[in-house]
Amino acid sequence: MPGALRVDGFRTRRDFGFGNLSKGGTMLAALALAADGIIASTEPLTLVVTLPLTLGVIGLAAARRHGMSAMSYYWAKFSWRRATRSEATAYRRVLLPHPFALDLPGVGASSTLIKAHDPTSGKTVGVVHDRATGRMTVSTLLAPGGSLMAPTNAVQGNIRTWGSVLDAMSTDEQIKGASVTIQVTPGAGEALGDDVKRRKRPEAPALARTTIDELVRTTPHATASVAPWMSVTVDPGAAANPPSDLHEQVAEALRVVDSLDLSGTGTDIYRRATDVDVRRLVRSAYDPDAFHARDEEFAELGWSECGPQAADDGWEEYAHDGGVSFSWVLREMPRRPIPYSVLLPLLSPGRYQRRVTLAYRVLDPHEGEAVLEREISNAEQRAQATAQVKGRAKWSQKADYARAEKAAVQAASGAQVVDWTLMVTTTARSTVELPAARQETERAVKATRGIRMRPAFGAQAAVFAAGLPLGYNPLVKD
């Protein structure tokens, strides 16, 4: 792989604190120890109870578990178990008098689907409206393809153009976030078999007929249907003149999305997702058997009917109509330059349906500069603190400081600072197939040679929904 086609600059935000503690954790630990000392000045025996308890809490906050603090991990597990006991993690679609009783579960509960008319193309567009925040999400269907066989200069040009798209996102206050999802559904060869059956001629040469029959026989096990799309979340109310009614808000959202020009990024735009397309993507995620159904069947579905009839949000899996899914999230990117095709193992067809989602939130130039300056200060302070204790800073701390400085130089030269994450969701037909599906995903992650991921502990339903055009982006905060 040519060095020019390698990318780097990935870095995890790190606070300055004692050991593995964050800045806030260090301050709380100091206050707790000071409180123990004040109490012990009048009642010394209290140290027998308070000091071990305080040190135990500090130890949990400093220890690491799956890339996060052990305290955060165990607190999340405690909260999930409490929610399970109160049946908050179980969903059953029933008819209730409440007006929103049939809405989608979880993070999609406040969403509704609007069928809009796009005057630019003259076609319908499906707009997902979040009634709680007022934000709207428009999805664009992309043509499956790639640039693995493209010339080096073409790929470099595509990367530069994508940087221009990120720049446009950073300077538009109405664009709150975006995500790119690629869904790979195995077993798409049945459609090819039906097409060949209609077109095959009995007078064709025997060798040709034998070859095409062999192709049809092996295709269902060797191919997959690839459905890529990009979802952009817009806040119409952030405009200079906020629209007053729903119709104007939809028009404003479509105008903002149309201003993003993806030409030259190496991506071919198929069309804006219609309301039928959105229903198909959402419904087929919960029930993979419905993916190849006719458009007429999805056109008759209500928005609430696109969700599951029943679902159970587990600690490491999500049971729903037609299967059981598990989702993983990004833990850490490699600290070395990686090829632009690093995600290819995750996008390769397998035995189970898989969705790979890249979620973005582009920081505006002022916020990005402030974040980088803070990261440089934190990295420098960590190195200095270690040098004062051990005589010299760790090499890893010096390298981290150098990466923070390099990111600041790139941002000063016009590069954009982006908060982003990677999410992978795999769906098995039953719990019996779940171990094999996990093994397949683990192998795909290991094949990337450096990307580290972990299960979305206690957040399976939310990460599952983040990979769908439901308007939910975990990086967009209220």
Side-chain angles (χ1 to χ4, degrees), residues 65-149:
R65 185 78 187 270
H66 300 289
M68 68 184 85
S69 69
M71 176 173 287
S72 299
Y73 174 82
Y74 289 116
W75 178 255
K77 195 161 191 175
F78 169 77
S79 301
W80 174 80
R81 286 180 174 175
R82 184 177 59 181
T84 302
R85 285 195 296 269
S86 62
E87 298 184 354
T89 59
Y91 171 80
R92 300 294 182 269
R93 189 162 69 90
V94 295
L95 182 60
L96 297 175
H98 193 278
F100 301 147
L102 295 181
D103 285 350
L104 299 179
V107 295
S110 61
S111 67
T112 185
L113 181 61
I114 300 174
K115 181 179 180 180
H117 176 75
D118 186 4
T120 303
S121 61
K123 299 180 180 179
T124 60
V125 178
V127 180
V128 177
H129 179 214
D130 190 332
R131 294 167 294 194
T133 62
R135 301 191 186 105
M136 296 188 175
T137 300
V138 180
S139 298
T140 303
L141 301 183
L142 308 176
S147 55
L148 293 178
M149 303 299 292

Side-chain angles (χ1 to χ4, degrees), residues 15-23 25-26 58 62 389:
D15 288 338
F16 169 67
F18 179 77
N20 288 329
L21 292 175
S22 63
K23 182 178 180 180
T26 301
I58 294 175
V389 175

Side-chain angles (χ1 to χ4, degrees), residues 333-352:
M333 286 294 291
R335 301 179 184 179
R336 52 178 172 77
I338 58 176
Y340 77 102
S341 58
V342 66
L343 295 180
L344 186 59
L346 287 171
L347 302 176
S348 300
R351 296 174 54 194
Y352 306 96

Side-chain angles (χ1 to χ4, degrees), residues 374-394:
R374 185 166 59 248
E375 289 298 304
I376 291 176
S377 299
N378 292 340
E380 185 179 14
Q381 291 172 1
R382 282 194 300 271
Q384 291 177 352
T386 303
Q388 292 175 359
V389 175
K390 297 185 177 181
R392 68 171 180 85
K394 297 179 180 178

